[in-house]
């Protein structure tokens, strides 16, 4: 393969990649190098793919302290995104009386928040693949802080709904490009562990949000909730502006390279010497087009007008393995959203708990999330490393999904058991136990699926993570609209039994990708390579 050299110092480029005369190849004959693989991620020896193209100021060569500092910043921003969705729940009654608002209007504000938080990442992802990660973090956190301040000052429900949507749009960026940023920094062999640590934050946010909301509302009023969010998000925004180093490198982005090759072809016409695709240029092509390209490099720049959030997403969704795993991921997230919500209603209606006590009980689900995220991510990496050592010939991202078997087998019965425990109104300690295990096994599976989505879409990791957010948002929106009528109509027992069946379906889809995903992915790569030619 041809390894391309970067000519930047960690900043965005002004032109195309330059060739290197000493680039390593994977073949014994250097005169016939193979093109880059568009999605291989498990790299050893002298093999290079687009994820491992040499760059200056390589984020993967940063010190451990610098890498972990970046992880901490991203996780803190993700915590705010998680808090914002649930922190106002204990103040629902006070907000309805003060604004005033109906229950349906307040439910609409929650549903719209979830939907927008899921769909807008497609835009953030596309921007980050042209202008870098840091600028997206700063703009999105600024929007979130602005929206939060306006909500705190609002005097009617329509203003709250509108600027809660702005909050959702701002908080959504870190949920998608956070995973892509970790892919920029960490190798696949440790990515599961780092994803597990990162994913603790957005999962813990909804769990501890009601506690913070209950305390702030009891001490002051519902507006204190949003002033608290504004202060915290403003502090994180300042930290990103001062301390975060951009991890994006244009050489490693298929989206950037595709856009750049289009622009260069337009500039090079009517010349036929310039190669049709930056991604698949051979060394001889590079040598022939050196003079033409060097002239064009000085003038070609990509701007925000080149951003198209749909074309990269279509590329991701054209792969069968992505569609199946994203559907499974959406079901897992809907479950993660529904369990604390429906169990909180049960505790309020049948156990007559106060908002603060409800928050403390549902914190057990959050504790399960944290444990499952930490242990599941680490187990995913260990399983991947072990399988790679055992199978030298067939290394692929799908190996990671084998680590989900434990969660796939135990999550459905835990969900069903929780439903019938709630139905029989048993002691709250039993509810706490099954809440913990539901949270634990749900995230045990999800951590591996999130790492797989990034691993299997090298060069498009940001877009793949954004597509995952889109599926999550749509599934959570549907779940929110159906939760109350289903729970009131069927009761906790059958509601959680149905959820258990959906988790069995989700687990089956994950295992299907484990078995068939490599075949589907390779077929998609061949189609893409043929289209490039």
């Amino acid at each position: 393969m041809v390894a391309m050299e970067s000519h930047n110092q960690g900043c965005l480029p002004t032109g195309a990649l330059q060739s290197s005369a000493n680039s390593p190849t994977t073949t014994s004959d250097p005169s016939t190098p193979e093109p880059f693989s568009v999605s291989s991620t498990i790299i050893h020896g002298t093999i290079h793919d687009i994820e491992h193209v040499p760059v200056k100021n390589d984020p993967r060569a940063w010190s451990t302290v610098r890498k972990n500092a970046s992880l901490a910043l991203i996780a803190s921003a993700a915590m705010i995104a998680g808090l914002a969705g649930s922190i106002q729940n204990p103040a629902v009654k006070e907000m309805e009386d003060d604004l005033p608002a109906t229950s349906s209007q307040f439910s609409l504000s929650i549903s719209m928040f979830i939907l927008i938080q899921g769909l807008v990442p497609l835009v953030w992802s596309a921007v980050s693949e042209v202008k870098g990660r840091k600028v997206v973090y700063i703009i999105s956190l600024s929007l979130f802080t602005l929206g939060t301040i306006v909500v705190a000052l609002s005097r009617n429900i329509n203003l709250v709904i509108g600027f809660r949507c702005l909050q959702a749009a701002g908080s959504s960026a870190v949920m998608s490009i956070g995973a892509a940023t970790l892919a920029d920094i960490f190798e696949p062999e440790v990515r599961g562990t780092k994803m597990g640590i990162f994913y603790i934050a957005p999962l813990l946010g909804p769990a501890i949000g009601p506690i913070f909301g209950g305390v702030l509302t009891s001490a002051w009023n519902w507006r204190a909730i949003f002033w608290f969010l504004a202060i915290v998000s403003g502090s994180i925004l300042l930290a990103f502006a001062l301390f975060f180093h951009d991890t994006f490198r244009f050489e490693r982005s298929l989206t950037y390279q595709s856009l750049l090759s289009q622009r260069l072809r337009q500039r090079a016409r009517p010349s036929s010497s310039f190669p049709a695709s930056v991604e698949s240029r051979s060394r001889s092509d590079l040598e022939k087009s050196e003079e033409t390209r060097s002239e064009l490099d000085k003038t070609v720049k990509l701007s925000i007008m080149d951003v198209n959030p749909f074309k990269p997403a279509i590329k991701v969704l054209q792969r069968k393995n992505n569609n199946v795993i994203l559907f499974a991921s959406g079901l897992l997230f809907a479950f993660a959203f529904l369990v604390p919500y429906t169990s909180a209603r049960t505790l309020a209606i049948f156990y007559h708990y106060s908002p603060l006590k409800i928050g403390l009980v549902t914190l057990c689900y959050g504790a399960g999330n944290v444990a499952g995220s930490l242990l599941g991510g680490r187990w995913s990496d260990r399983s991947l490393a072990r399988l790679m050592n055992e199978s030298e010939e067939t290394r692929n991202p799908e190996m990671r999904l084998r680590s989900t078997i434990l969660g796939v087998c135990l999550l459905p019965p835990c969900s069903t058991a929780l439903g019938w425990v709630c139905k029989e109104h048993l002691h709250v300690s039993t509810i706490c136990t099954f809440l913990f295990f539901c949270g634990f096994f749900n995230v045990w599976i999800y951590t591996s699926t999130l790492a797989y989505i990034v691993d299997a879409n090298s060069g498009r990791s940001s877009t793949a993570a954004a597509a995952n957010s889109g599926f999550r948002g749509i599934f959570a929106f549907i779940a929110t609209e159906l939760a109350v009528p289903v729970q009131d109509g069927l009761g906790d027992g059958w509601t959680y039994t149905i959820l258990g069946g959906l988790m069995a379906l989700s687990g089956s889809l994950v295992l299907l990708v484990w078995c068939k995903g490599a075949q589907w992915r390779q077929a998609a790569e061949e189609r893409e390579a043929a289209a490039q030619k």
Side-chain angles (χ1 to χ4, degrees):
M1 297 179 181
V2 181
M4 304 181 201
E5 279 290 328
S6 166
H7 288 266
N8 71 339
Q9 298 294 328
C11 302
L12 291 172
T14 59
L17 306 177
Q18 304 297 317
S19 63
S20 172
N22 299 319
S23 300
T25 68
T26 58
T27 60
S28 58
D29 181 4
S31 65
T32 57
E34 296 179 5
F36 282 109
S37 166
V38 295
S39 62
S40 171
T41 59
I42 310 301
I43 308 302
H44 298 275
T46 60
I47 299 175
H48 293 274
D49 63 1
I50 195 166
E51 187 178 8
H52 292 81
V53 171
V55 294
K56 291 186 178 180
N57 191 21
D58 190 343
R60 297 184 185 181
W62 289 353
S63 67
T64 302
V65 173
R66 190 173 178 183
K67 289 181 179 180
N68 289 336
S70 298
L71 174 57
L73 270 178
I74 297 165
S76 65
M79 173 74 79
I80 294 299
L83 277 174
S86 64
I87 195 172
Q88 81 288 344
N89 287 350
V92 170
K93 182 61 177 175
E94 184 175 342
M95 292 181 70
E96 289 177 354
D97 293 340
D98 186 47
L99 287 171
T102 64
S103 297
S104 61
Q105 287 176 316
F106 198 83
S107 296
L108 177 63
S109 71
I110 297 175
S111 300
M112 292 300 296
F113 184 94
I114 297 167
L115 183 63
I116 291 175
Q117 195 179 61
L119 295 179
V120 172
L122 289 172
V123 177
W124 293 128
S125 170
V127 174
S128 78
E129 293 292 336
V130 172
K131 291 299 182 182
R133 317 293 191 210
K134 184 172 181 175
V135 66
V136 173
Y137 284 127
I138 291 176
I139 293 174
S140 62
L141 286 170
S142 299
L143 291 177
F144 177 84
T145 304
L146 174 63
T148 304
I149 292 172
V150 175
V151 171
L153 297 171
S154 296
R155 298 296 176 182
N156 64 76
I157 187 61
N158 292 328
L159 205 57
V160 169
I161 293 174
F163 281 90
R164 284 282 284 167
C165 291
L166 183 63
Q167 266 191 314
S171 66
S172 66
V174 70
M175 305 300 290
S176 59
I177 68 170
T181 304
L182 297 186
D184 295 340
I185 300 173
F186 298 104
E187 292 287 355
E189 288 80 0
V190 298
R191 199 172 286 162
T193 300
K194 303 304 180 182
M195 290 289 184
I197 295 172
F198 160 70
Y199 201 63
I200 288 173
L203 287 173
L204 192 57
I208 66 175
I211 298 176
F212 278 93
V215 171
L216 291 168
T217 304
S218 300
W220 291 281
N221 54 45
W222 67 268
R223 298 181 191 276
I225 292 173
F226 295 97
W227 286 119
F228 168 77
L229 287 177
I231 293 170
V232 176
S233 63
S235 301
I236 294 172
L237 169 61
L238 183 62
F240 265 96
L242 295 177
F243 304 116
F244 183 75
H245 299 276
D246 205 334
T247 63
F248 177 74
R249 300 294 179 265
F250 74 96
E251 300 95 328
R252 294 176 174 175
S253 170
L254 284 177
T255 300
Y256 189 99
Q257 295 304 320
S258 295
L259 289 171
L260 190 58
S261 66
Q262 293 173 16
R263 293 288 300 276
L264 291 174
R265 285 200 302 271
Q266 293 171 1
R267 292 291 186 91
R269 292 170 183 164
S271 171
S272 61
S273 62
F274 195 81
S277 173
V278 173
E279 297 167 15
S280 59
R281 289 177 292 178
S282 67
R283 182 175 295 147
S284 59
D285 290 330
L286 288 168
E287 291 172 351
K288 290 177 182 178
S289 62
E290 185 69 38
E291 183 177 352
T292 303
R293 187 185 60 255
S294 61
E295 290 298 321
L296 292 170
D297 286 354
K298 298 176 182 178
T299 59
V300 174
K301 289 185 179 181
L302 296 185
S303 69
I304 198 70
M305 300 304 294
D306 293 294
V307 172
N308 181 349
F310 300 108
K311 188 173 182 179
I314 291 172
K315 290 283 188 181
V316 170
L317 296 177
Q318 284 176 337
R319 296 187 176 189
K320 185 184 293 186
N321 63 305
N322 287 338
N323 281 311
V324 175
I325 203 71
L326 290 171
F327 190 90
S329 175
L331 288 175
L332 288 167
F333 185 77
F335 179 87
F337 187 84
L338 278 181
V339 169
Y341 180 53
T342 52
S343 60
R345 295 187 74 240
T346 297
L347 292 168
I349 296 171
F350 298 107
Y351 288 78
H352 308 293
Y353 277 15
S354 67
L356 184 57
K357 291 181 71 176
I358 291 173
L360 292 173
V361 173
T362 55
L363 187 60
C364 295
Y365 186 85
N369 288 160
V370 172
S373 191
L374 284 173
L375 297 178
R378 187 173 295 275
W379 179 254
S380 175
D381 284 342
R382 290 187 62 181
S383 298
L384 178 64
R386 185 178 66 253
L387 290 171
M388 286 169 56
N389 290 332
E390 292 174 356
S391 179
E392 294 291 333
E393 299 297 326
T394 56
R395 296 170 177 170
N396 56 63
E398 286 73 22
M399 288 178 171
R400 184 183 295 280
L401 298 178
R402 182 176 178 179
S403 64
T404 64
I405 291 176
L406 177 66
V408 167
C409 293
L410 295 181
L411 179 58
C414 284
S415 172
T416 303
L418 175 62
W420 293 104
V421 164
C422 292
K423 176 70 168 59
E424 298 300 324
H425 305 157
L426 299 183
H427 192 271
V428 71
S429 61
T430 313
I431 295 178
C432 290
T433 300
F434 282 106
L435 279 173
F436 177 87
F437 283 117
C438 283
F440 181 89
F441 291 122
N442 178 269
V443 178
W444 182 278
I445 304 170
Y446 188 83
T447 300
S448 291
T449 61
L450 181 61
Y452 170 77
I453 288 167
V454 172
D455 286 353
N457 292 277
S458 179
R460 296 194 184 102
S461 57
S462 176
T463 303
N468 183 52
S469 293
F471 273 74
R472 285 172 35 175
I474 293 170
F475 278 68
F477 176 81
I478 295 171
T480 303
E481 294 299 312
L482 295 178
V484 173
V486 171
Q487 188 180 25
D488 290 344
L490 298 179
D492 286 325
W494 286 111
T495 297
Y496 281 91
T497 299
I498 292 172
L499 287 178
L502 291 175
M503 291 306 95
L505 172 62
S506 176
S508 300
L509 294 176
V510 172
L511 297 182
L512 178 62
V513 175
W514 171 42
C515 296
K516 297 290 188 179
Q519 177 182 337
W520 294 338
R521 180 171 49 79
Q522 290 164 7
E525 290 175 14
E526 292 173 1
R527 289 196 303 270
E528 291 172 9
Q532 290 170 10
K533 293 179 182 179

